[in-house]
Amino acid sequence: MSAVSETGLASRAAAHASLVAARRLRPAEIAFWLMPIAGYFLFPDRLALLSEIAILGLFALSLDILLGFAGIVSLGHAAFFGLGAYTAGILGKYGWTEPLSGLAIAALVAGAVGFITSFLVLRGNDLTRLMVTLGVSLMLAEAANRLGWLTGGADGLTGVMIGPVFGVFEFDIFGVTAYWYAVGVLFVLFCLARYLASSVFGLTLRGIKGNSLRMAAIGAPVNLNLVTAYTIGAAYAGVAGGLLAQTTQFASLDVLEFQRSAEVLLVLLIGGSGYLYGGLIGAVLFKLMHDLLSDLTPQYWQFWLGILLVVLVLSSREGVRGLYLRVAARFARSRHPGRKGGAA
Amino acid sequence: MLTVLFDGVAYGMLLFILSCGLSVTLGMMNFVNLAHGAFAMIGGYATAQLMNEAGVPFLACLPVAFLIAAVLGLVLERTLYVRLYRKSHLDQVLFSIGLAFVAMSTMDYFFGAQQRLITLPDFLRGQFEVFGARIGVYRLFLIILCGLITIALQLFVSRTRIGSQLRAAVDDARVAGGLGINVSRIFAGTFAFGSGLAGLGGALGLDLLGVDPVFPIKYMIYFLIVVTVGGTRSMVGPFIAALIIGVADVAGKYYVPQVGAFVIYTVMVVILMIRPEGLMGRRATR
């Protein structure tokens, strides 16, 4: 009897230790976050591109919360990005020019729609989820197209005015403020996501992704957790969209397009999902590739996008992280010939 | 009123031919092929090119459109699709989106971005009136032709030896293989046939829908709606779903043009809410 409780206590302590260990900051992470600072000094004339990377990174992070942690597949994540973009844009157009509160409202709107639609999404299997998320995003795109008086329809939403950040830093034509604003928001939200991922909530999500039946059997509220994750993911995507609308002072129908949902999936595919940094790394690689390839063949970027998707899926969908882990495993094996190789 | 119903039925029939290949791969083989519309697009382009450039008569183009799409389907199934049967739905989705993107930009490269249209032969044009409903000759032709194909398909799947082998292979590929059925050949043949039907649908739809490089994405949602709403058990479910969607879409555009495509998205989401397995579906076995 006491042996049982002792092992229980021991495993509890071990679990606590692993939770704390997961939260510890690793040197590679600090190096990673030095990159945006380095980028600012190395490419001062490409700040627009760098801001786009930060925004795409945040968008991919929001999808990673759904896909990588909760295991919810989505073909229509652009719905929330677009909602955020139009919310922030419309606020700016009609006089609410304070950027941070605009972002917060964008997050609230996207999160609220995410919360409502999550009940539709959580029914059924993967296939139904793909269809319902796609359907919801198409409905929103059609709505934005029809509500021309509000959204500007096919011409896009123009005349967006955004005030200075914290009331001090005006948005300038060089994109300096826009860049630091986007990177700052990304950093704060990333830290929050990182905290959530190693919290009990994050671990429960991973458990549900692994086996939702067993998680339900040990008493975890499966649906409540999934609804929460979906809502958070939607709100994050809304912030990403809001950032885009605020920094470019424009929003058009393409923020809601199917293409965008497909692109963000590809970003996550490149970077690898389920460890938070995948979306950011994927966004960097994706945007650089986009920049390079559209310089070569501006019209046929979509062709390369398609080839990339096909090749990545056929090569077993591990992304750069899978590549890294495999190389690392081989390295470890050659150093310790006796041990069995193979990483997570 | 009757005219709307008639047009809707014709449109639904066309949708069924376009998507019944998908209803087999997605519904029965459990493979999410978002590139299905690409085969329809190929068929459409083949017909438009043959008719406008080479002067081939419309009816002669139809089998050609079928064959081109079927051969392409067969080649792609053997080389690429076959590796993905066992992967997750998400992998299949990403893969087939990639394929659709490649097909779309290839068509854009060769034929340009503008929409291709054709002129129908004289005997398929015009309309006449029955009981106050205006009946378009071409739409009547569509209903008859697609109706015949549908009946043939249903009989084929439910009555013939190959049909029952297909159903067996779909239900449990391992056991079917153990019974001596060549599962991979059945799948390849079915995939090719479904792609061919999509190509035929693309050709038949030229007059109503036209064809342009964004065709696969533009109509993807319609195909998916037909299949997911129709369920996976037989040809009947997708057929009924196609008719519902066709009539709903035509009626929606006719009576409430300001809401546009909203009607069918709502129809889809609502039906999936009530019956996640589709109208005539049963719960997925895996």
Side-chain angles (χ1 to χ4, degrees):
Chain A
M1 207 41 198
S2 72
V4 172
S5 69
E6 239 165 64
T7 46
L9 271 179
S11 68
R12 213 181 167 135
H16 184 73
S18 80
L19 267 179
V20 171
R23 269 186 209 160
R24 201 172 295 141
L25 203 61
R26 281 180 288 270
E29 293 185 77
I30 298 170
F32 183 88
W33 284 105
L34 288 176
M35 270 174 34
I37 300 172
Y40 175 75
F41 290 107
L42 289 176
F43 309 103
D45 48 344
R46 302 303 302 273
L47 286 183
L49 178 72
L50 295 181
S51 312
E52 279 177 35
I53 292 178
I55 292 166
L56 184 62
L58 182 59
F59 186 32
L61 174 66
S62 75
L63 183 65
D64 200 11
I65 295 174
L66 298 193
L67 188 66
F69 287 86
I72 305 171
V73 289
S74 170
L75 254 187
H77 206 46
F80 306 114
F81 187 85
L83 263 177
Y86 273 114
T87 307
I90 290 166
L91 282 175
K93 184 175 181 175
Y94 293 105
W96 188 296
T97 56
E98 207 288 307
L100 280 174
S101 57
L103 270 193
I105 296 172
L108 274 180
V109 171
V113 175
F115 176 74
I116 295 164
T117 53
S118 69
F119 296 99
L120 311 181
V121 171
L122 294 184
R123 293 178 56 115
N125 51 9
D126 273 7
L127 188 59
T128 319
R129 284 179 186 177
L130 288 169
M131 293 309 116
V132 172
T133 48
L134 179 67
V136 168
S137 77
L138 287 172
M139 276 164 90
L140 279 177
E142 185 68 18
N145 187 23
R146 296 280 157 182
L147 300 175
W149 57 271
L150 184 66
T151 62
D155 298 331
L157 184 74
T158 49
V160 177
M161 300 295 291
I162 300 298
V165 183
F166 301 129
V168 182
F169 304 104
E170 289 270 4
F171 282 96
D172 52 299
I173 52 164
F174 305 107
V176 176
T177 310
Y179 177 63
W180 288 116
Y181 179 51
V183 169
V185 171
L186 171 66
F187 182 70
V188 171
L189 286 181
F190 182 88
C191 292
L192 179 66
R194 195 176 178 282
Y195 170 77
L196 283 178
S198 58
S199 68
V200 172
F201 168 65
L203 291 179
T204 314
L205 279 183
R206 278 165 188 264
I208 291 171
K209 189 190 171 196
N211 191 331
S212 61
L213 262 176
R214 286 190 191 174
M215 285 309 280
I218 62 167
V222 170
N223 271 345
L224 181 71
N225 276 294
L226 289 179
V227 166
T228 315
Y230 198 79
T231 308
I232 293 174
Y236 265 57
V239 173
L243 271 179
L244 182 73
Q246 288 182 343
T247 54
T248 58
Q249 313 205 334
F250 181 69
S252 62
L253 286 178
D254 72 295
V255 292
L256 283 162
E257 258 181 8
F258 171 71
Q259 193 108 353
R260 195 173 287 271
S261 303
E263 263 177 21
V264 71
L265 273 170
L266 176 62
V267 168
L268 210 52
L269 190 67
I270 295 173
S273 66
Y275 71 110
L276 294 176
Y277 280 97
L280 307 191
I281 295 170
V284 173
L285 294 175
F286 179 87
K287 274 288 173 191
L288 290 182
M289 220 153 28
H290 183 214
D291 203 45
L292 198 76
L293 288 174
S294 25
D295 271 355
L296 292 175
T297 47
Q299 270 171 294
Y300 304 109
W301 153 243
Q302 202 178 44
F303 179 81
W304 300 110
L305 190 78
I307 294 280
L308 196 68
L309 272 170
V310 170
V311 169
L312 272 173
V313 173
L314 285 179
S315 65
S316 80
R317 188 159 85 81
E318 285 175 319
V320 283
R321 188 183 187 225
L323 205 68
Y324 165 75
L325 287 177
R326 242 186 299 166
V327 171
R330 176 153 307 165
F331 211 67
R333 213 170 9 209
S334 64
R335 269 199 299 187
H336 312 277
R339 255 175 45 189
K340 229 169 123 186
Chain B
M1 172 66 198
L2 274 176
T3 315
V4 171
L5 196 65
F6 178 79
D7 284 359
V9 170
Y11 186 46
M13 288 279 199
L14 180 65
L15 274 182
F16 176 70
I17 293 301
L18 276 167
S19 44
C20 68
L22 186 68
S23 85
V24 175
T25 45
L26 189 143
M28 294 183 169
M29 282 149 75
N30 210 353
F31 186 99
V32 190
N33 180 19
L34 296 191
H36 186 73
F39 295 103
M41 176 179 69
I42 305 279
Y45 267 111
T47 306
Q49 279 309 101
L50 281 173
M51 284 186 69
N52 296 341
E53 307 294 324
V56 180
F58 178 67
L59 291 183
C61 289
L62 297 180
V64 178
F66 176 87
L67 272 181
I68 291 182
V71 169
L72 193 72
L74 187 65
V75 171
L76 285 175
E77 201 273 347
R78 285 289 85 181
T79 51
L80 298 177
Y81 279 98
V82 70
R83 298 157 194 244
L84 285 146
Y85 284 140
R86 285 167 183 282
K87 295 212 176 180
S88 70
H89 277 151
L90 185 64
D91 278 328
Q92 298 169 350
V93 161
L94 292 166
F95 166 80
S96 53
I97 290 176
L99 217 55
F101 280 174
V102 170
M104 285 158 66
S105 40
T106 310
M107 289 299 130
D108 193 2
Y109 179 77
F110 284 113
F111 301 114
Q114 72 275 38
Q115 197 173 45
R116 291 287 164 126
L117 292 168
I118 54 162
T119 333
L120 286 172
D122 284 336
F123 62 92
L124 286 176
R125 275 188 292 184
Q127 47 187 353
F128 54 89
E129 211 160 298
V130 181
F131 302 122
R134 281 201 308 280
I135 309 280
V137 176
Y138 184 65
R139 287 185 163 77
L140 188 65
F141 169 75
L142 271 185
I143 292 186
I144 295 171
L145 183 65
C146 298
L148 287 177
I149 295 175
T150 310
I151 294 168
L153 269 179
Q154 177 63 21
L155 288 179
F156 180 79
V157 173
S158 61
R159 297 285 162 82
T160 65
R161 187 175 166 78
I162 302 179
S164 53
Q165 286 184 342
L166 170 64
R167 279 179 290 135
V170 165
D171 265 354
D172 194 325
R174 271 176 65 191
V175 173
L179 289 171
I181 296 172
N182 190 339
V183 173
S184 76
R185 193 192 289 171
I186 294 265
F187 276 7
T190 311
F191 192 91
F193 194 75
S195 309
L197 280 181
L200 178 67
L204 285 173
L206 269 176
D207 186 55
L208 270 65
L209 316 171
V211 64
D212 53 17
V214 294
F215 186 91
I217 298 286
K218 198 159 71 179
Y219 290 102
M220 177 181 76
I221 183 71
Y222 286 80
F223 309 150
L224 289 172
I225 293 172
V226 168
V227 177
T228 42
V229 166
T232 63
R233 219 30 227 150
S234 65
M235 287 285 130
V236 182
F239 181 69
I240 294 172
L243 290 187
I244 293 177
I245 302 294
V247 173
D249 198 33
V250 170
K253 280 178 183 155
Y254 187 81
Y255 292 114
V256 272
Q258 61 276 19
V259 268
F262 236 72
V263 177
I264 55 151
Y265 300 149
T266 317
V267 168
M268 164 168 110
V269 172
V270 167
I271 293 186
L272 283 178
M273 279 315 83
I274 307 166
R275 312 239 1 205
E277 322 82 56
L279 271 185
M280 313 272 288
R282 47 149 205 196
R283 286 207 177 273
T285 42
R286 65 167 228 199

CSV table of all heavy atoms in Angstrom, one decimal, chain A residues 194-217:
chain,number,residue,atom,x,y,z
A,194,ARG,N,4.3,29.4,-25.2
A,194,ARG,CA,5.3,28.6,-24.6
A,194,ARG,C,5.0,28.2,-23.2
A,194,ARG,O,5.1,27.0,-22.8
A,194,ARG,CB,6.7,29.3,-24.6
A,194,ARG,CG,7.9,28.4,-24.4
A,194,ARG,CD,9.1,29.2,-24.6
A,194,ARG,NE,10.3,28.3,-24.3
A,194,ARG,CZ,10.7,28.0,-23.1
A,194,ARG,NH1,10.1,28.4,-22.1
A,194,ARG,NH2,11.8,27.2,-23.0
A,195,TYR,N,4.5,29.2,-22.4
A,195,TYR,CA,4.1,28.9,-21.1
A,195,TYR,C,2.9,27.9,-21.1
A,195,TYR,O,2.8,26.9,-20.3
A,195,TYR,CB,3.7,30.2,-20.4
A,195,TYR,CG,3.0,30.0,-19.1
A,195,TYR,CD1,3.7,29.7,-18.0
A,195,TYR,CD2,1.6,30.1,-19.0
A,195,TYR,CE1,3.1,29.4,-16.7
A,195,TYR,CE2,1.0,29.9,-17.8
A,195,TYR,CZ,1.7,29.6,-16.7
A,195,TYR,OH,1.1,29.3,-15.5
A,196,LEU,N,1.9,28.2,-22.0
A,196,LEU,CA,0.7,27.3,-22.1
A,196,LEU,C,1.1,25.9,-22.4
A,196,LEU,O,0.5,24.9,-21.9
A,196,LEU,CB,-0.3,27.9,-23.1
A,196,LEU,CG,-1.1,29.1,-22.7
A,196,LEU,CD1,-2.0,29.5,-23.8
A,196,LEU,CD2,-2.0,28.7,-21.5
A,197,ALA,N,2.1,25.8,-23.4
A,197,ALA,CA,2.4,24.5,-23.9
A,197,ALA,C,3.0,23.6,-22.8
A,197,ALA,O,2.8,22.4,-22.8
A,197,ALA,CB,3.4,24.6,-25.0
A,198,SER,N,3.7,24.2,-21.8
A,198,SER,CA,4.3,23.4,-20.8
A,198,SER,C,3.4,23.4,-19.5
A,198,SER,O,3.8,22.8,-18.5
A,198,SER,CB,5.7,23.9,-20.4
A,198,SER,OG,5.6,25.2,-20.0
A,199,SER,N,2.2,24.0,-19.6
A,199,SER,CA,1.3,23.9,-18.5
A,199,SER,C,0.5,22.6,-18.5
A,199,SER,O,0.6,21.8,-19.4
A,199,SER,CB,0.3,25.1,-18.5
A,199,SER,OG,-0.5,25.0,-19.6
A,200,VAL,N,-0.3,22.5,-17.5
A,200,VAL,CA,-1.1,21.3,-17.4
A,200,VAL,C,-2.1,21.2,-18.6
A,200,VAL,O,-2.3,20.2,-19.2
A,200,VAL,CB,-1.9,21.3,-16.1
A,200,VAL,CG1,-3.0,20.1,-16.1
A,200,VAL,CG2,-1.0,21.1,-14.9
A,201,PHE,N,-2.5,22.4,-19.0
A,201,PHE,CA,-3.4,22.5,-20.1
A,201,PHE,C,-2.7,22.0,-21.4
A,201,PHE,O,-3.3,21.2,-22.2
A,201,PHE,CB,-3.9,24.0,-20.3
A,201,PHE,CG,-4.5,24.3,-21.6
A,201,PHE,CD1,-5.8,23.7,-21.9
A,201,PHE,CD2,-3.9,25.1,-22.5
A,201,PHE,CE1,-6.4,24.0,-23.1
A,201,PHE,CE2,-4.6,25.4,-23.7
A,201,PHE,CZ,-5.8,24.8,-24.0
A,202,GLY,N,-1.5,22.4,-21.6
A,202,GLY,CA,-0.7,22.0,-22.8
A,202,GLY,C,-0.5,20.5,-22.8
A,202,GLY,O,-0.7,19.8,-23.8
A,203,LEU,N,-0.2,20.0,-21.6
A,203,LEU,CA,0.1,18.5,-21.6
A,203,LEU,C,-1.2,17.7,-21.8
A,203,LEU,O,-1.1,16.7,-22.4
A,203,LEU,CB,0.7,18.2,-20.2
A,203,LEU,CG,2.1,18.7,-20.0
A,203,LEU,CD1,2.6,18.4,-18.6
A,203,LEU,CD2,3.1,18.2,-21.1
A,204,THR,N,-2.3,18.3,-21.2
A,204,THR,CA,-3.6,17.6,-21.5
A,204,THR,C,-3.9,17.5,-23.0
A,204,THR,O,-4.3,16.5,-23.5
A,204,THR,CB,-4.7,18.3,-20.7
A,204,THR,OG1,-4.3,18.6,-19.4
A,204,THR,CG2,-5.9,17.5,-20.7
A,205,LEU,N,-3.6,18.6,-23.7
A,205,LEU,CA,-3.8,18.7,-25.1
A,205,LEU,C,-3.0,17.6,-25.8
A,205,LEU,O,-3.5,16.9,-26.7
A,205,LEU,CB,-3.5,20.0,-25.7
A,205,LEU,CG,-4.5,21.1,-25.5
A,205,LEU,CD1,-4.0,22.4,-26.2
A,205,LEU,CD2,-5.8,20.7,-26.1
A,206,ARG,N,-1.8,17.5,-25.4
A,206,ARG,CA,-0.9,16.5,-26.1
A,206,ARG,C,-1.5,15.1,-25.8
A,206,ARG,O,-1.5,14.2,-26.7
A,206,ARG,CB,0.5,16.6,-25.5
A,206,ARG,CG,1.3,17.6,-26.2
A,206,ARG,CD,2.6,17.9,-25.4
A,206,ARG,NE,3.3,19.0,-25.9
A,206,ARG,CZ,4.3,18.9,-26.7
A,206,ARG,NH1,4.7,17.7,-27.1
A,206,ARG,NH2,4.9,20.0,-27.2
A,207,GLY,N,-1.9,14.9,-24.6
A,207,GLY,CA,-2.5,13.6,-24.3
A,207,GLY,C,-3.7,13.3,-25.2
A,207,GLY,O,-3.9,12.2,-25.7
A,208,ILE,N,-4.6,14.4,-25.3
A,208,ILE,CA,-5.8,14.2,-26.2
A,208,ILE,C,-5.4,13.9,-27.6
A,208,ILE,O,-6.0,13.0,-28.2
A,208,ILE,CB,-6.6,15.5,-26.1
A,208,ILE,CG1,-7.2,15.6,-24.7
A,208,ILE,CG2,-7.8,15.4,-27.1
A,208,ILE,CD1,-7.9,16.9,-24.5
A,209,LYS,N,-4.4,14.5,-28.0
A,209,LYS,CA,-3.9,14.3,-29.4
A,209,LYS,C,-3.5,12.8,-29.5
A,209,LYS,O,-3.7,12.2,-30.5
A,209,LYS,CB,-2.8,15.2,-29.8
A,209,LYS,CG,-2.4,15.2,-31.2
A,209,LYS,CD,-1.1,16.0,-31.5
A,209,LYS,CE,-0.6,15.8,-32.9
A,209,LYS,NZ,0.8,16.2,-33.0
A,210,GLY,N,-2.8,12.4,-28.5
A,210,GLY,CA,-2.3,11.0,-28.5
A,210,GLY,C,-3.4,10.0,-28.5
A,210,GLY,O,-3.5,9.1,-29.3
A,211,ASN,N,-4.3,10.2,-27.5
A,211,ASN,CA,-5.4,9.2,-27.4
A,211,ASN,C,-6.5,9.9,-26.6
A,211,ASN,O,-6.5,9.9,-25.4
A,211,ASN,CB,-4.9,7.9,-26.7
A,211,ASN,CG,-6.0,6.8,-26.8
A,211,ASN,OD1,-7.2,7.1,-26.9
A,211,ASN,ND2,-5.5,5.6,-26.8
A,212,SER,N,-7.5,10.4,-27.3
A,212,SER,CA,-8.6,11.1,-26.6
A,212,SER,C,-9.4,10.2,-25.8
A,212,SER,O,-9.9,10.7,-24.7
A,212,SER,CB,-9.4,11.9,-27.7
A,212,SER,OG,-10.1,11.0,-28.5
A,213,LEU,N,-9.6,9.0,-26.2
A,213,LEU,CA,-10.5,8.1,-25.4
A,213,LEU,C,-9.9,7.9,-24.0
A,213,LEU,O,-10.5,7.9,-23.0
A,213,LEU,CB,-10.5,6.7,-26.1
A,213,LEU,CG,-11.8,6.5,-26.9
A,213,LEU,CD1,-11.7,5.2,-27.6
A,213,LEU,CD2,-13.0,6.6,-26.0
A,214,ARG,N,-8.5,7.6,-24.0
A,214,ARG,CA,-7.9,7.3,-22.7
A,214,ARG,C,-7.9,8.6,-21.8
A,214,ARG,O,-8.0,8.5,-20.6
A,214,ARG,CB,-6.5,6.8,-22.9
A,214,ARG,CG,-6.5,5.4,-23.4
A,214,ARG,CD,-5.1,4.9,-23.3
A,214,ARG,NE,-5.0,3.6,-24.1
A,214,ARG,CZ,-3.9,3.0,-24.3
A,214,ARG,NH1,-2.8,3.5,-23.9
A,214,ARG,NH2,-3.9,1.8,-24.9
A,215,MET,N,-7.7,9.8,-22.5
A,215,MET,CA,-7.7,11.0,-21.7
A,215,MET,C,-9.1,11.2,-21.1
A,215,MET,O,-9.2,11.6,-19.9
A,215,MET,CB,-7.3,12.2,-22.6
A,215,MET,CG,-5.9,12.3,-22.9
A,215,MET,SD,-4.8,12.2,-21.5
A,215,MET,CE,-4.9,13.9,-20.9
A,216,ALA,N,-10.1,10.9,-21.8
A,216,ALA,CA,-11.4,11.0,-21.2
A,216,ALA,C,-11.6,10.0,-20.1
A,216,ALA,O,-12.2,10.3,-19.1
A,216,ALA,CB,-12.5,10.7,-22.3
A,217,ALA,N,-11.0,8.8,-20.2
A,217,ALA,CA,-11.1,7.8,-19.2
A,217,ALA,C,-10.4,8.2,-17.9
A,217,ALA,O,-10.9,7.8,-16.8
A,217,ALA,CB,-10.6,6.5,-19.7
